[in-house]
Amino acid sequence: MAAILAQYFLNHRLDPREIAWQVQALAAAGYQGLYPHARQGLLTPYMSEDWWRALDAILEGCRSTGTEFWIWDEDYYPSGLAGGRVVWGDPGLIARGLEFSVAEVQGAGPFEVDFAPGMLLRAFALPRREDGSLGEPLDVTQFCGTRRQIWGERRVKHTAYSPLIDPIGHPHWRTSMSDNRFALAWTPPEPGDYTIVAILVRSGTGLHPDILRPEGVRRFLDLSYQPYLERYGADFGGVVAGAFTDEPSPGGFLYPWTAAFPEEFRNDHGYDLLPHLAHLALEVDERSPAVRHHYRLTQHRLQTESYVSQVARWCRDHGIVMAGHLTRTEWLSLTAAWWPNELRSYRDMHVPCADPLGASEGWAAAAPYHTGLKVASSAAHLFGREQAGSDALAVIGDEARVRDLKYHLDYHMALGINYFAVHGLSYSTDGPRKDEVPPSLFYQHTEWKHMPLLLDHVRRTAQALTGGKHLCRIALLYPSTSLACQLLPEAVLPNLPDEAQVHGLVELLLSHQRDFDFIDEVTLQEHVNEEGRLTTPEEYQIVILPHLRYLDAKTAAALLRFSHAGGRVMAVGTMPRALGPDLSMPQTDWSDGSVSLVPTLDPTTVRTLPGLEVWGQGSRDLLALHREKDGKSLLFLFNRRDRDFTGRVDGAVVSVPGRGSLLLDHTSRSADSNPRSSLRLAPKPIEEWCSDWTVEFEPNHLPLSFWHARADDGTGTADFSAPGYDLMQRQADPAPPGEQPVLYHCRFMLTGAIPDARLVLEESTIGGRWEVLVNGEPIGAWRRAMAFDVRNLEADIGGALRGGSTPTLNVVTVRAEGPGRGLREVPYLYGSFTAEYRYGHLSYPFLRGGGRTQSQAQLQPWEVMGYPTFSGTAVYRRLVQIPWEGNLTLDLGRVEDVAVVSVDGRKLCALAWPPYRCPLAGIPPGQHELSIEITNAPANRNRAARLPAGLLGPVRLLEGG
């Protein structure tokens, strides 16, 4: 199966001709499959005939390139809605959930309490004792009914409520009431303090269907999956390889509800839930955790059977596989409410996945991401799946370079992920699309031409780490029961105390190379046999209970069987209590002398656990994955810190670059992904080449981001005292609202001339009827172009610019009027020039016209060379003397960001991450032309980030190779 696929974001008005070359480009870069993903900003209506024509073009492109076509099963996200069609077609399928309305009353009554909106299930009054504890709930539902409490405006009406009589207009007084709700009117049997709690059923406000019911999910399959089968059925199991489901949820409710829930609950647990509903809202007594646990068990079963199992079965029946993720896998408290025991929910899914968002991955402070990725990889290991996936590289920013992408994907692979649905390859970034999930990792990314380096590395590494056996001896009990017993607040907050401690333990284990799998309670119950042997695919020697308050009584019994048979069970932080099925004895102590309690798991104790032995400075930042495959022991090492790691791993001497990785054949002690690592230990410089370079740039570009706006007074004169705003910062347009003409002015200073200057816009740059003037001269002959996106427009303006021997003011004017008028996106100036910002505010750039080639006495950042907002490629050239043939290496020093090295026009290597070293094999002694092509990431162009860019060196010739 494929290891790296592209989420192809279909987010504009789709043109099959453009799709044809885009699919070819994705395949040529090394993507093994595509997800045609309906995305925000899609102007071709989803599932219209034009949509299907676009998908036909994608499918044909996949067929011709040998790549896989995967179904993205939703109109954007989340899955299960079919773009709203499920609920629109049958409003009775809308998601529902419980809401709790709580009030405190004191005295003899009578008490009147209005509840929150919703259909009342039950209401209870709980007496509060002197010690603050709650007594047995009294069912007061019979004292509840509906009433309106809010009077509207009192006014004189002049109407007869009929258009046939209204002209007479007899005046009369009227008012009315609104906000009909359930309310309680009750006199307690005895005076006292009471807590009143009402449990109400509320319908969702969105379009989520009830995924606790199989009917809604079946309808979702009919609407979202069946059309693909009808159109492409002959390709199912061939070109059409699978489907991805993306974060289905029960409508955002912390306690989802469906009409059959009470009956299903009784079937599962043997008692009636309704009289015990108060335990969901309040800490009533020791029964409350058990009732919540039982609630979540039924919710888990219903959601898993209705959604995951049904979708997986549909895919399996039609010859394709199911991949996806269910919710924020790393956010355990939210998961406990939306997908209880999420780990177990992945059992029927062919490729269980996670979805870590953002750039803060791999760090100790971002340990929740460790947890989330481990849930996905553990599910694969437990349930016999060869692949665990990630919806990877989402919203990591335009600052992301190829080496940053590698860092993220290496981190994933160190935690057991070997399947990637790469986020954000956008059909277009025109307009607000550029900010939806930046960056686009497609052709709009300035380092796109170097993506094959990354994709090849990921594909080879993921395939090497697929199959065989995960060598892991530690099982960490997934905290499903303990989390299910939390009294969740109205808004689930991250890092609740129990959750933070679990993430901290995960970080402690991984940073000490004590790899583990999560194991869910049901799987543990099923796989500890009567002899106490744990029969999972992995041979776990120890089960750790991570800061648990509760676990299921059946789990406790399984753990005792395991420990009595010689297995090791360690409770960290607390010894959890066991929750049984009988509410007359809901909690029990279960542990005996065979189960150890460790109040705090410290590094000394961690080192007593089975794992790899690692020595060397920085070892706490080395994450390791150990697998056995084809008779070999494979180690994948990931170094998350900036500095290199040099040390020993289980006796093998290794060197892992900072923010880099190493795949080690542990049997032969050879490193196959970094054969030059020995150079990093003792390089011997022969010569340094840091001067006398010639540098040739692509056309420079300058974002015209700061504009002054005012109403058009007919003079056309620029007024720079008018309100200004920065389009790059997405500041609000200060022009007055309406459709009347407005003027926008942007200025820069120019010395010399820029004959090849052109303005580049997006289709969405200017709204309404518009024209552009440069120094008062109208600019015409706009043409379709692809400067950085398929939706670009450009026009030549070199002849309209003013320059000279001293800086000369130039003004670009946009005039717009009519419906929707306004300047919304950043226009760009392209051409042969250098630029500098002499003021802290980037509103007043100084430009100098000239050629694109410079001579450098020493290596400098591109900003110093006059390219502060340039993202693209420059080629460095110089003559060098090679002293002898062979055993030589070129060390480029610091590179921002990707380098391609050539000698005498022959490409030797491409370097996208450290170490930036190129063997000079086959180069005869003598004088040669060395050229180094440098490309940086899009942040300087897209965000004016002014990040360091260029070849910064030192460039040295090393003896060794």
Side-chain angles (χ1 to χ4, degrees):
M1 231 171 84
I4 188 157
L5 297 90
Q7 290 185 43
Y8 183 21
F9 281 5
L10 303 179
N11 64 352
H12 209 291
R13 191 170 288 105
L14 305 178
D15 184 340
R17 293 168 300 178
E18 289 172 346
I19 284 173
W21 71 258
Q22 291 192 13
V23 172
Q24 294 287 331
L26 288 164
Y31 281 103
Q32 297 171 286
L34 307 181
Y35 287 100
H37 184 349
R39 199 69 190 182
Q40 291 185 95
L42 179 64
L43 300 179
T44 298
Y46 176 64
M47 284 202 172
S48 67
E49 185 55 32
D50 284 349
W51 160 267
W52 288 112
R53 289 195 187 104
L55 263 63
D56 291 345
I58 296 172
L59 185 73
E60 286 307 309
C62 289
R63 181 180 287 110
S64 67
T65 58
T67 51
E68 296 178 351
F69 179 106
W70 282 63
I71 297 167
W72 193 271
D73 70 9
E74 189 52 74
D75 181 3
Y76 179 45
Y77 137 99
S79 291
L81 285 64
R85 292 164 175 79
V86 173
V87 170
W88 287 333
D90 184 351
L93 293 175
I94 196 166
R96 294 173 174 84
L98 300 183
E99 182 164 320
F100 308 129
S101 191
V102 180
E104 303 292 337
V105 296
Q106 299 86 31
F111 303 127
E112 294 190 5
V113 180
D114 290 295
F115 301 141
M119 176 64 198
L120 182 68
L121 271 180
R122 287 288 192 277
F124 300 93
L126 292 85
R128 188 169 292 280
R129 304 185 181 100
E130 290 184 3
D131 63 0
S133 64
L134 295 173
E136 186 69 20
L138 305 174
D139 191 327
V140 294
T141 309
Q142 70 184 90
F143 299 100
C144 299
T146 52
R147 68 178 183 182
R148 294 175 174 84
Q149 285 288 290
I150 299 177
W151 285 102
E153 178 189 6
R154 300 163 71 178
R155 61 203 181 279
V156 176
K157 295 281 288 183
H158 297 271
T159 178
Y161 309 99
S162 168
L164 300 178
I165 309 297
D166 276 352
I168 298 175
H170 281 293
H172 58 285
W173 285 96
R174 284 300 308 266
T175 190
S176 61
M177 299 185 78
S178 62
D179 200 31
N180 199 27
R181 301 187 183 197
F182 276 91
L184 168 72
W186 174 65
T187 301
E190 296 181 5
D193 295 348
Y194 291 88
T195 296
I196 308 297
V197 57
I199 297 89
L200 306 112
V201 178
R202 183 169 59 85
S203 294
T205 56
L207 297 173
H208 286 81
D210 178 358
I211 63 170
L212 281 71
R213 292 175 59 186
E215 300 94 323
V217 180
R218 192 175 304 122
R219 184 59 180 153
F220 165 62
L221 288 168
D222 289 342
L223 293 167
S224 285
Y225 284 69
Q226 193 68 25
Y228 286 91
L229 181 65
E230 292 172 359
R231 197 171 186 102
Y232 306 131
D235 291 303
F236 271 49
V239 178
V240 180
F244 195 100
T245 199
D246 186 22
E247 292 195 32
S249 86
F253 291 108
L254 300 185
Y255 282 96
W257 188 257
T258 193
F261 201 99
E263 180 182 357
E264 298 286 352
F265 185 96
R266 176 180 287 279
N267 293 337
D268 286 344
H269 308 294
Y271 68 91
D272 189 358
L273 172 63
L274 297 180
H276 298 89
L277 285 173
H279 292 281
L280 303 181
L282 302 169
E283 296 289 359
V284 179
D285 52 36
E286 66 175 4
R287 295 172 296 175
S288 298
V291 174
R292 293 181 198 137
H293 172 47
H294 298 158
Y295 184 100
R296 297 302 184 191
L297 288 175
T298 296
Q299 180 192 348
H300 162 83
R301 179 179 63 80
L302 293 178
Q303 287 185 196
T304 302
E305 289 177 355
S306 296
Y307 195 93
V308 183
S309 298
Q310 190 173 186
V311 174
R313 185 168 55 251
W314 191 98
C315 291
R316 185 171 56 250
D317 290 347
H318 294 95
I320 63 175
V321 301
M322 178 192 182
H325 58 94
L326 299 178
T327 188
R328 297 256 45 85
T329 311
E330 76 284 350
W331 191 347
L332 299 177
S333 298
L334 181 67
T335 297
W338 285 5
W339 279 95
N341 199 355
E342 184 188 29
L343 174 58
R344 179 71 177 186
S345 299
Y346 285 112
R347 183 179 59 168
D348 288 340
M349 192 178 290
H350 304 97
V351 186
C353 297
D355 181 21
L357 297 173
S360 304
E361 293 180 4
W363 307 338
Y369 284 138
H370 307 344
T371 303
L373 291 171
K374 272 295 187 181
V375 168
S377 62
S378 299
H381 299 152
L382 288 176
F383 307 133
R385 307 302 186 187
E386 284 206 336
Q387 290 184 297
S390 176
D391 182 347
L393 303 181
V395 290
I396 57 176
D398 292 288
E399 299 77 16
R401 303 156 291 193
V402 170
R403 67 173 182 249
D404 298 320
L405 306 180
K406 178 180 180 291
Y407 168 88
H408 287 285
L409 298 175
D410 282 346
Y411 164 65
H412 283 66
M413 289 189 284
L415 296 184
I417 301 300
N418 56 1
Y419 171 96
F420 298 95
V422 176
H423 206 259
L425 291 109
S426 298
Y427 174 85
S428 173
T429 57
D430 173 55
R433 295 165 184 84
K434 66 176 65 65
D435 289 341
E436 193 227 342
V437 286
S440 173
L441 298 177
F442 198 12
Y443 66 92
Q444 300 95 343
H445 195 287
T446 47
E447 293 174 349
W448 167 249
K449 62 185 176 182
H450 298 300
M451 289 296 174
L453 297 171
L454 173 70
L455 301 184
D456 181 65
H457 162 77
V458 174
R459 183 176 60 254
R460 287 187 295 104
T461 307
Q463 288 173 348
L465 297 175
T466 298
K469 189 174 185 179
H470 180 215
L471 297 182
C472 170
R473 299 294 177 259
I474 301 173
L476 198 65
L477 192 64
Y478 185 73
S480 56
T481 298
S482 198
L483 291 168
C485 297
Q486 291 182 127
L487 179 63
L488 294 173
E490 291 184 2
V492 179
L493 299 176
N495 299 321
L496 295 174
D498 291 355
E499 178 167 350
Q501 292 181 94
V502 173
H503 297 315
L505 177 59
V506 167
E507 162 64 20
L508 182 65
L509 292 171
L510 293 178
S511 64
H512 286 78
Q513 296 81 41
R514 268 50 186 173
D515 198 4
F516 68 90
D517 278 330
F518 280 111
I519 187 169
D520 70 274
E521 295 197 32
V522 179
T523 298
L524 186 72
Q525 296 164 19
E526 292 174 344
H527 285 271
V528 177
N529 61 22
E530 291 304 316
E531 290 76 35
R533 193 165 63 88
L534 186 52
T535 61
T536 50
E538 313 302 332
E539 298 172 359
Y540 305 120
Q541 298 172 351
I542 180 171
V543 178
I544 297 177
L545 315 183
H547 300 281
L548 304 183
R549 298 175 187 269
Y550 305 99
L551 47 65
D552 192 277
K554 294 179 183 177
T555 304
L559 289 170
L560 288 176
R561 293 197 304 273
F562 176 67
S563 64
H564 293 162
R568 186 178 173 190
V569 179
M570 177 192 294
V572 177
T574 56
M575 184 63 71
R577 305 204 76 197
L579 301 179
D582 187 354
L583 290 189
S584 66
M585 191 172 62
Q587 300 184 27
T588 58
D589 294 324
W590 61 279
S591 63
D592 57 21
S594 67
V595 178
S596 61
L597 172 61
V598 180
T600 302
L601 191 60
D602 57 27
T604 300
T605 309
V606 167
R607 283 191 287 270
T608 68
L609 303 176
L612 297 170
E613 297 305 321
V614 179
W615 297 269
Q617 186 176 5
S619 61
R620 298 290 74 83
D621 287 316
L622 197 69
L623 307 184
L625 178 70
H626 198 185
R627 295 193 71 86
E628 185 178 72
K629 181 180 178 183
D630 299 329
K632 293 183 179 180
S633 179
L634 297 176
L635 275 179
F636 182 69
L637 304 175
F638 166 69
N639 180 10
R640 65 185 178 184
R641 74 172 186 164
D642 292 334
R643 299 179 61 185
D644 296 356
F645 171 81
T646 300
R648 288 181 175 271
V649 178
D650 266 14
V653 177
V654 300
S655 178
V656 187
R659 293 174 62 84
S661 64
L662 183 67
L663 181 62
L664 186 69
D665 179 337
H666 200 49
T667 303
S668 63
R669 304 290 200 251
S670 66
D672 70 3
S673 69
N674 187 13
R676 298 181 299 281
S677 61
S678 59
L679 280 172
R680 307 184 68 77
L681 301 179
K684 181 180 178 182
I686 298 173
E687 192 169 353
E688 191 168 287
W689 299 321
C690 292
S691 59
D692 302 324
W693 291 90
T694 298
V695 187
E696 182 180 0
F697 285 88
E698 294 176 338
N700 203 353
H701 37 257
L702 185 81
L704 303 179
S705 60
F706 194 88
W707 296 76
H708 297 265
R710 65 180 180 88
D712 185 3
D713 62 2
T715 67
T717 304
D719 180 4
F720 294 108
S721 65
Y725 71 117
D726 191 337
L727 282 167
M728 190 157 283
Q729 297 297 321
R730 315 299 187 243
Q731 293 177 349
D733 186 345
E739 300 182 7
Q740 69 274 26
V742 291
L743 297 177
Y744 301 87
H745 301 288
C746 180
R747 58 183 168 169
F748 58 86
M749 306 298 289
L750 173 61
T751 302
I754 314 175
D756 61 346
R758 68 189 195 275
L759 277 179
V760 176
L761 312 178
E762 297 174 76
E763 287 183 349
S764 299
T765 296
I766 312 171
R769 299 185 299 276
W770 57 272
E771 65 173 336
V772 175
L773 303 94
V774 174
N775 297 319
E777 182 177 331
I779 302 301
W782 291 94
R783 56 188 179 270
R784 185 78 174 269
M786 195 176 75
F788 55 84
D789 188 74
V790 294
R791 299 289 164 170
N792 288 148
L793 300 171
E794 67 177 18
D796 298 323
I797 65 166
L801 296 181
R802 298 170 181 166
S805 59
T806 60
T808 304
L809 179 67
N810 285 259
V811 178
V812 178
T813 300
V814 172
R815 185 181 186 276
E817 63 180 332
R821 60 103 168 103
L823 179 61
R824 303 190 182 98
E825 303 295 327
V826 177
Y828 282 82
L829 175 67
Y830 274 68
S832 300
F833 60 86
T834 58
E836 64 176 318
Y837 290 100
R838 298 183 181 178
Y839 304 96
H841 191 272
L842 305 185
S843 62
Y844 198 46
F846 282 70
L847 278 59
R848 181 179 293 275
R852 302 199 299 267
T853 302
Q854 298 185 23
S855 296
Q856 275 198 307
Q858 61 181 5
L859 295 174
Q860 295 176 319
W862 285 353
E863 180 172 17
V864 176
M865 299 170 67
Y867 289 77
T869 56
F870 175 79
S871 291
T873 297
V875 179
Y876 292 69
R877 294 185 177 89
R878 86 182 305 277
L879 295 176
V880 298
Q881 191 72 27
I882 302 297
W884 62 77
E885 183 174 352
N887 200 33
L888 295 174
T889 297
L890 182 68
D891 184 339
L892 302 183
R894 182 179 176 185
V895 175
E896 303 291 344
D897 301 310
V898 181
V900 177
V901 178
S902 300
V903 173
D904 298 332
R906 177 168 67 93
K907 178 180 173 181
L908 298 185
C909 63
L911 305 168
W913 49 80
Y916 289 99
R917 288 175 170 168
C918 177
L920 298 181
I923 308 298
Q927 190 177 73
H928 299 273
E929 183 185 64
L930 171 64
S931 67
I932 304 172
E933 178 189 284
I934 303 294
T935 305
N936 69 329
N940 289 352
R941 177 194 69 192
N942 294 356
R943 310 292 177 185
R946 303 176 76 174
L947 296 179
L951 177 62
L952 304 180
V955 178
R956 300 182 299 170
L957 183 64
L958 304 180
E959 181 180 359

